[in-house]
């Protein structure tokens, strides 16, 4: 992550995280703090992959395996807490995602992405610092990558992308604990795959660090091109900058623009919505089309501008970024975040109010932007 404008003290501990001096885990206290974990006890798993029993048994075994690892014990208190929190919460969504097919097979398709969103909200309620919170979310989301990365269409791209979001050595630790916390016939094979993952990441200089691209533009080209070369130093031929705002309604996007770039033209979907008399709950296609038409005018004249909308999901951002980049734009995403109670309060003061139910729905759908999407991503997070 880069350019965190407002952040808490980054020395952070997770509730009841063990220490190297005392590896005992107080499960009673943890369940008292996180009652949602109780549902894991009633969630069965596919015995082919998890013969140890239900998800809660697996979770306890994973956490105990993690804290027994020398590599976990060797890192600082905050890093230990990050990894422990990820291990504890990594299967939090399995009860919601688990299904039993007609032939008796147990599946939990989609639990990883759903779990990442649930973990983000749990950690927000704990007022977890943004960078730490998003590191835990990334471990939950990509923690199984060391087990399956070689099956990806482009294994190299998968590890380079992961390294932009979280340290791959943390993913390896998480995967090792996950495997040691289960009973399955291919356990040794999975552990060998993790060792291969470590070697592959080290070979490509992204095991304990972010992959070092030649420039921000080289990184942008790599992630937006089908078969790019990560070592290629791309010539920067961008001709203008487009700032894309991102955040829930009521996070202060208009205020940020007024304070930081009052001189730039703004394509505001809220203003277009008012001008066109379209409610936030109505079909928004006409507003987006009108906004894109305005944007094309600025792009054709090579005039820097701001695209001001919520842009909370990645596919919407990607479609706009492709449009802007097609005209030679350098893309900067500005993400704003404030606590949900303040979002609701500030939304009440807006001219274009959004119904609270819509804001909560947006919050559930929110995908926070990352460096694989743009030339620059700035995070302004007020806790």
């Amino acid at each position: 992550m880069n350019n965190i404008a407002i952040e808490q003290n980054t020395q952070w501990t997770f509730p009841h995280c063990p220490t190297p001096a005392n590896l005992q885990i107080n499960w009673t206290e943890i369940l008292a703090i996180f009652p949602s974990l109780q549902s894991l006890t009633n969630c069965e798993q596919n015995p082919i992959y998890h013969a140890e029993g239900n998800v809660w048994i697996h979770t306890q075994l994973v956490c105990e395996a993690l804290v027994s690892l020398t590599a976990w014990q060797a890192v600082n208190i905050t890093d230990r807490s990050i990894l422990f929190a990820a291990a504890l919460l990594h299967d939090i969504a399995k009860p919601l995602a688990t299904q039993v097919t007609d032939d008796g097979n147990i599946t939990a398709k989609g639990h990883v992405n759903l779990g990442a969103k649930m973990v983000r909200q749990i950690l927000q309620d704990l007022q977890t610092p943004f960078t730490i919170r998003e590191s835990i979310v990334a471990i939950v989301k990509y923690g199984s990558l060391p087990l399956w990365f070689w099956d990806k269409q482009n294994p190299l791209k998968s590890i380079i992308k992961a390294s932009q979001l979280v340290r791959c050595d943390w993913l390896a630790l998480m995967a090792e604990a996950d495997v040691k916390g289960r009973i399955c016939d291919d356990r040794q094979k999975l552990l060998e795959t993790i060792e291969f993952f470590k070697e592959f990441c080290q070979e490509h200089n992204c095991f304990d660090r972010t992959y070092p691209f030649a420039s921000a533009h080289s990184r942008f080209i790599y992630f937006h091109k089908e078969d790019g070369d990560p070592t290629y130093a791309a010539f920067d031929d961008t001709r203008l900058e487009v700032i894309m705002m991102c955040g829930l309604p009521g996070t202060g996007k208009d205020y940020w623009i007024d304070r930081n770039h009052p001189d730039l033209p703004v394509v505001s979907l809220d203003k277009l919505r008012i001008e066109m008399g379209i409610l936030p709950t109505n079909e928004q296609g006409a507003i987006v089309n009108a906004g894109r038409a305005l944007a094309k005018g600025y792009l054709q004249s090579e005039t820097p501008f701001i695209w001001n909308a919520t842009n909370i999901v990645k596919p919407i951002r990607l479609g706009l970024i492709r449009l802007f980049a097609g005209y030679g734009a350098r893309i900067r995403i500005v993400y704003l975040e404030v606590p949900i109670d303040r979002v609701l309060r500030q939304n009440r003061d807006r001219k274009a109010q959004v119904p609270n139910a819509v804001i909560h729905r947006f919050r559930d759908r929110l995908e926070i932007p990352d460096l694989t999407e743009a030339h620059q991503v700035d995070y302004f997070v007020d806790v």
Side-chain angles (χ1 to χ4, degrees), residues 97-119:
T98 296
Q99 295 182 338
V100 181
T101 61
D102 293 340
D103 59 1
N105 189 39
I106 300 174
T107 67
K109 186 176 181 180
H111 81 278
V112 171
N113 288 332
L114 178 59
K117 292 183 179 182
M118 292 176 66
V119 168

Side-chain angles (χ1 to χ4, degrees), residues 147-194:
L147 304 177
W148 313 113
F149 78 102
W150 203 247
D151 295 328
K152 299 285 187 180
Q153 184 176 356
N154 189 331
L156 177 58
K157 197 165 195 172
S158 71
I159 66 166
I160 290 177
K161 177 180 178 179
S163 79
Q164 307 300 302
L165 312 176
V166 67
R167 286 171 45 168
C168 289
D169 57 337
W170 288 0
L171 298 182
L173 267 179
M174 180 66 203
E176 182 178 354
D178 191 0
V179 171
K180 290 182 175 179
R182 67 173 79 177
I183 298 173
C184 56
D185 291 340
D186 60 348
R187 195 163 178 254
Q188 187 56 41
K189 181 181 178 182
L190 292 174
L191 291 173
E192 291 171 358
T193 301
I194 296 170

Side-chain angles (χ1 to χ4, degrees), residues 7-8 12 14 122-134 136 383:
E7 186 59 287
Q8 287 179 290
W12 175 82
F14 188 73
I122 290 170
L123 296 174
Q124 280 178 322
D125 292 340
L126 287 176
Q127 297 186 336
T128 306
F130 180 81
T131 52
I132 291 172
R133 184 192 82 199
E134 290 307 308
I136 297 169
V383 295

Side-chain angles (χ1 to χ4, degrees), residues 5-299:
I6 305 174
E7 186 59 287
Q8 287 179 290
N9 189 333
T10 53
Q11 185 167 354
W12 175 82
T13 57
F14 188 73
H16 297 287
C17 178
T19 67
N22 181 11
L23 298 178
Q24 192 70 29
I25 301 173
N26 191 330
W27 294 114
T28 301
E29 291 294 333
I30 285 175
L31 285 173
I33 296 173
F34 303 103
S36 57
L37 291 169
Q38 292 279 4
S39 64
L40 304 186
T41 61
N42 300 317
C43 185
E44 297 302 317
Q45 302 183 102
N46 191 321
I48 297 175
Y49 309 109
H50 290 280
E52 70 276 3
N54 64 49
V55 179
W56 180 235
I57 293 172
H58 170 62
T59 297
Q60 293 177 89
L61 291 173
V62 170
C63 291
E64 289 164 359
L66 175 72
V67 302
S68 71
L69 296 176
T70 302
W72 179 84
Q73 297 174 23
V75 299
N76 65 51
I77 185 171
T78 297
D79 291 355
R80 290 198 303 269
S81 286
I82 288 171
L83 289 159
F84 183 76
L88 180 68
L89 301 172
H90 80 285
D91 274 345
I92 191 71
K94 269 194 174 178
L96 295 175
T98 296
Q99 295 182 338
V100 181
T101 61
D102 293 340
D103 59 1
N105 189 39
I106 300 174
T107 67
K109 186 176 181 180
H111 81 278
V112 171
N113 288 332
L114 178 59
K117 292 183 179 182
M118 292 176 66
V119 168
R120 178 177 288 123
Q121 293 197 9
I122 290 170
L123 296 174
Q124 280 178 322
D125 292 340
L126 287 176
Q127 297 186 336
T128 306
F130 180 81
T131 52
I132 291 172
R133 184 192 82 199
E134 290 307 308
S135 291
I136 297 169
V137 170
I139 296 172
V140 170
K141 188 170 183 178
Y142 295 98
S144 63
L145 180 64
L147 304 177
W148 313 113
F149 78 102
W150 203 247
D151 295 328
K152 299 285 187 180
Q153 184 176 356
N154 189 331
L156 177 58
K157 197 165 195 172
S158 71
I159 66 166
I160 290 177
K161 177 180 178 179
S163 79
Q164 307 300 302
L165 312 176
V166 67
R167 286 171 45 168
C168 289
D169 57 337
W170 288 0
L171 298 182
L173 267 179
M174 180 66 203
E176 182 178 354
D178 191 0
V179 171
K180 290 182 175 179
R182 67 173 79 177
I183 298 173
C184 56
D185 291 340
D186 60 348
R187 195 163 178 254
Q188 187 56 41
K189 181 181 178 182
L190 292 174
L191 291 173
E192 291 171 358
T193 301
I194 296 170
E195 290 303 313
F196 178 37
F197 171 82
K198 293 179 183 178
E199 294 173 4
F200 192 65
C201 291
Q202 289 167 346
E203 178 186 347
H204 293 285
N205 202 23
C206 63
F207 183 55
D208 58 357
R209 68 201 67 188
T210 300
Y211 181 85
F213 285 97
S215 66
H217 190 59
S218 298
R219 183 188 64 237
F220 180 82
I221 295 297
Y222 178 70
F223 285 115
H224 288 268
K225 190 175 180 181
E226 191 67 29
D227 297 309
D229 178 359
T231 66
Y232 174 63
F235 174 72
D236 190 346
D237 57 354
T238 55
R239 298 188 292 277
L240 73 153
E241 180 178 73
V242 175
I243 298 175
M244 175 186 288
M245 304 302 296
C246 178
L248 297 178
T251 51
K253 294 186 290 296
D254 290 336
Y255 179 77
W256 186 91
I257 292 169
D258 290 343
R259 287 288 299 272
N260 293 277
H261 294 284
D263 54 323
L264 289 181
V266 178
V267 178
S268 170
L269 298 196
D270 277 344
K271 290 180 180 178
L272 287 171
R273 191 176 291 114
I274 293 171
E275 291 172 3
M276 298 171 70
I278 297 176
L279 297 174
T281 51
N282 292 345
E283 171 60 42
Q284 303 295 298
I287 294 169
V288 174
N289 289 337
R292 289 169 72 97
L294 289 173
K296 286 181 180 178
Y298 294 128
L299 291 164

Side-chain angles (χ1 to χ4, degrees), residues 310-356:
T310 55
N311 299 312
I312 57 169
V313 294
K314 191 169 184 176
I316 288 177
R317 293 195 297 267
L318 182 59
L320 291 167
I321 287 168
R322 285 174 175 165
L323 169 65
F324 303 155
Y327 285 86
R330 182 183 188 277
I331 316 300
R332 175 189 176 196
I333 299 177
V334 172
Y335 172 75
L336 277 71
E337 180 181 303
V338 298
I340 187 64
D341 58 340
R342 196 190 309 173
V343 167
L344 297 174
R345 185 171 67 250
Q346 291 177 174
N347 177 61
R348 290 195 294 268
D349 297 332
R350 301 169 78 231
K351 292 182 180 179
Q353 281 191 27
V354 177
N356 285 353

